[in-house]
Amino acid sequence: MIDHVGVGHDAVRRANLSRVLRRLHADGPATRADLTVSSGLNRSTIGALVTDLASRQLVTEGEARATGAPGRPSPTVSVRTDRCVVLALDIGVDSIAAATFVLGGSRRRLLRIDRPRGRTPIDTTVEDLGALADDLLGDLTRRHRLLGIGVSVVGLVRTTDGLVHAAPNLGWQDAPLAGLLRARLRRRVPIQIANDADAGVLAERVRGAGRGVDDLVYVSGEVGVGGGVIVGGRPLRGTGGYAGEIGHMSVDAAGLPCVCGAVGCWETRIGESALLRLAGEPEDGGREAVDRVLAAADAGDEGALGALEELGRWLSIGLGALVNIFDPELVILGRLHARLHPYVSHHAEEHLATRTLVGRRSAVRVVPAELDDSCLVGAAELAFEPILADPTSVRPARVAVSA
């Protein structure tokens, strides 16, 4: 409940509208009675908030139905899925994807292009994304309103202006991604850009393994390794938005050179190339080589199992440091590491128990990500964030549109 002395009425109303809309967006339909209980607001206030959101065509109400509980039947409130839509873009090492999502988080349509690994110029990437976006947005009806665009990218992102400071595995340096996308897409809507792991942790907290968890760490990678951190329910961004580059923690001073220019970074020990090197596969073998390693492990191959055990040991070294620093309730492994979880979880947890402070290990859990496309889903959630934070930014409809 938001009702602080000294806070203006309009600010309180915006905060309460946000609270109700977030609840419906993340958790699905709820009765007015449910919203009253979860928000701590009274029934008449909830009624007024729902009416306001409905006037902005953000929610709709069904007929009141008796639940068997005392009191009047309570109408069910749902977000409208026929009006507000966002565009989500995901830029990976070997693929790009674009999708439209409606309020409530359902994916409307997805397009993906696999690309050869290598240094792909940003202009080419933006043009390819633009072609996908044109297709998706051209498929929307007149009733749809594009609220915003969210982008996940495997790089170091300055969130204030969408500059990709460095994306070594793409060959980008100081790339003005937000500006280039804005010029190509020609849409006058906000563009939110985040590192892929920051997008992934957001998605997993809203819709995946981290639902309801206020303190969690997300570790994800393929060629590189990144991380997203939620502390006290809020994402840890840092001064410029660069927080979470956990793949470049130094874990082995006498180790291997990293693409970032340092030596002994964590990603040189737990990234895709590390697994393939340990298993005797070409380090640039990609997904097919990873599939071979996991198939060999399933068949009981000692070399593959040994490689996974060694990777699990190095995984525990980095996780131990993260657990000691952030004291999370949950650690989520995404992308490649979600696939590896069944093979490395036993080794990682066994070693992790010896690397964390007394009492910390008893609470933290290490689990795989639940979402197949957490970075893309996270990009959509980034795009929804401005409207969720301030639903009054959507003007009431002049003429009511039937639900």
Side-chain angles (χ1 to χ4, degrees), residues 37-397:
V37 172
S38 64
S39 68
L41 299 167
N42 62 48
R43 186 182 181 103
S44 61
T45 299
I46 287 295
L49 294 172
V50 169
T51 298
D52 189 326
L53 292 170
S55 75
R56 302 174 194 278
Q57 301 179 5
L58 296 173
V59 306
T60 185
E61 285 193 278
E63 294 184 2
R65 291 181 297 176
T67 63
R72 291 173 295 171
S74 183
T76 298
V77 187
S78 308
V79 296
R80 291 192 60 160
T81 59
D82 62 335
R83 300 292 294 175
C84 296
V85 64
V86 298
L87 174 67
L89 307 174
D90 179 34
I91 305 171
V93 175
D94 51 15
S95 70
I96 59 171
T100 43
F101 288 78
V102 295
L103 194 63
S106 295
R107 192 175 69 199
R108 191 172 186 272
R109 190 172 166 222
L110 165 70
L111 297 173
R112 182 179 295 278
I113 298 176
D114 289 329
R115 304 191 299 178
R117 289 188 178 180
R119 295 175 174 247
T120 304
I122 188 170
D123 291 342
T124 302
T125 299
V126 168
E127 182 54 40
D128 289 345
L129 287 170
L132 297 181
D134 290 345
D135 189 334
L136 293 170
L137 298 179
D139 189 45
L140 299 180
T141 70
R142 291 184 178 181
R143 294 171 62 87
H144 286 109
R145 173 178 177 175
L146 182 67
L147 295 178
I149 299 167
V151 187
S152 163
V153 58
V154 287
L156 191 63
V157 178
R158 189 167 67 194
T159 54
T160 53
D161 60 2
L163 176 82
V164 180
H165 176 64
N169 293 307
L170 297 175
W172 297 359
Q173 186 76 31
D174 293 331
L177 181 58
L180 292 173
L181 283 172
R182 187 171 288 109
R184 171 58 180 82
L185 298 177
R186 300 182 296 279
R187 298 280 177 161
R188 298 180 64 181
V189 296
I191 297 179
Q192 313 289 331
I193 300 183
N195 168 268
D196 62 325
D198 286 334
V201 73
L202 175 61
E204 289 293 330
R205 184 168 187 267
V206 175
R207 307 198 176 277
R211 291 185 65 152
V213 178
D214 284 341
D215 294 276
L216 63 92
V217 172
Y218 176 84
V219 178
S220 175
E222 291 174 320
V223 176
V225 174
V229 182
I230 302 287
V231 178
R234 300 176 66 86
L236 183 65
R237 296 282 189 241
T239 303
Y242 297 147
E245 288 299 315
I246 59 177
H248 298 288
M249 291 190 299
S250 180
V251 297
D252 185 6
L256 300 170
C258 180
V259 292
C260 73
V263 172
C265 291
W266 196 28
E267 77 172 42
T268 67
R269 292 298 186 181
I270 69 164
E272 181 184 274
S273 61
L275 172 64
L276 298 180
R277 181 176 63 252
L278 289 167
E281 290 278 353
E283 291 188 29
D284 59 354
R287 297 178 189 173
E288 292 182 358
V290 172
D291 290 343
R292 289 195 297 270
V293 173
L294 298 186
D298 288 338
D301 180 83
E302 292 185 2
L305 292 171
L308 289 164
E309 181 175 1
E310 178 67 359
L311 186 141
R313 184 177 74 85
W314 282 104
L315 181 65
S316 74
I317 291 173
L319 291 183
L322 296 173
V323 169
N324 283 336
I325 293 169
F326 296 111
D327 188 21
E329 177 183 343
L330 189 69
V331 173
I332 301 175
L333 303 181
R335 285 196 167 175
L336 169 68
H337 297 94
R339 294 187 66 195
L340 300 185
H341 179 268
Y343 305 91
V344 304
S345 59
H346 171 71
H347 305 301
E349 296 205 5
E350 180 180 316
H351 291 291
L352 184 58
T354 68
R355 300 182 186 280
T356 53
L357 298 177
V358 176
R360 298 287 175 90
R361 182 65 197 101
S362 61
V364 69
R365 295 176 291 127
V366 181
V367 301
E370 286 185 2
L371 303 174
D372 292 333
D373 250 333
S374 58
C375 296
L376 192 62
V377 174
E381 294 300 328
L382 284 171
F384 278 122
E385 181 55 31
I387 192 69
L388 296 175
D390 182 13
T392 65
S393 60
V394 175
R395 295 181 180 179

